[in-house]
């Protein structure tokens, strides 16, 4: 019985580690990669200077700032939510 319990714990640790790994890999992908010539959102041309300044950029200045606003709001909300669920 004790062995079975220890195994469960080890499996849980592995799951946590692989989830964190996947999240980190997804984050690494976001800011890098190929820059788009046109905004993903409104299809306006992204200036070359902006593309060079931000590798992997896929939004124009306006859409990017909108996106960041949304990210700030939703990630703050999610962080609070996951903290609550961890406490329970
Ligand atoms: Zn745009």
């Amino acid at each position: 019985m004790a062995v079975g319990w220890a195994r469960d714990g080890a499996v849980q640790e592995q799951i946590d580690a692989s989830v964190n790994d996947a999240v980190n890999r997804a984050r690494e992908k976001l800011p890098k990669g190929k820059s788009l010539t046109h905004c993903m959102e409104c299809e306006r041309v992204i200036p070359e200077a902006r593309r060079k300044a931000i590798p992997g950029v896929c939004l124009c200045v306006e859409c990017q700032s909108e996106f960041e606003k949304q990210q700030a709001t939703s990630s703050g909300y999610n962080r609070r939510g996951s903290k609550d669920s961890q406490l329970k």
Side-chain angles (χ1 to χ4, degrees):
M1 286 297 244
V3 172
W5 186 84
R7 261 190 212 150
D8 286 348
V11 168
Q12 188 57 50
E13 269 173 41
Q14 278 181 353
I15 290 168
D16 288 348
S18 58
V19 168
N20 285 338
D21 201 38
V23 169
N24 286 337
R25 251 179 282 156
R27 276 192 192 143
E28 275 170 23
K29 269 185 195 171
L30 277 176
K32 288 173 192 170
K34 212 178 166 192
S35 300
L36 298 184
T37 52
H38 291 77
C39 176
M40 209 168 68
E41 201 63 35
C42 66
E43 295 186 350
R44 255 187 292 178
V45 173
I46 300 171
E48 197 186 345
R50 177 170 167 75
R51 279 187 270 138
K52 279 184 179 170
I54 311 164
V57 68
C58 53
L59 296 168
C60 70
V61 180
E62 278 178 39
C63 293
Q64 179 76 48
S65 67
E66 274 302 308
F67 179 73
E68 278 170 10
K69 262 188 246 164
Q70 281 173 16
Q71 283 249 306
T73 317
S74 64
S75 70
Y77 189 79
N78 285 343
R79 227 174 280 150
R80 236 174 284 139
S82 63
K83 233 182 221 174
D84 283 345
S85 60
Q86 276 173 11
L87 286 171
K88 282 169 196 169

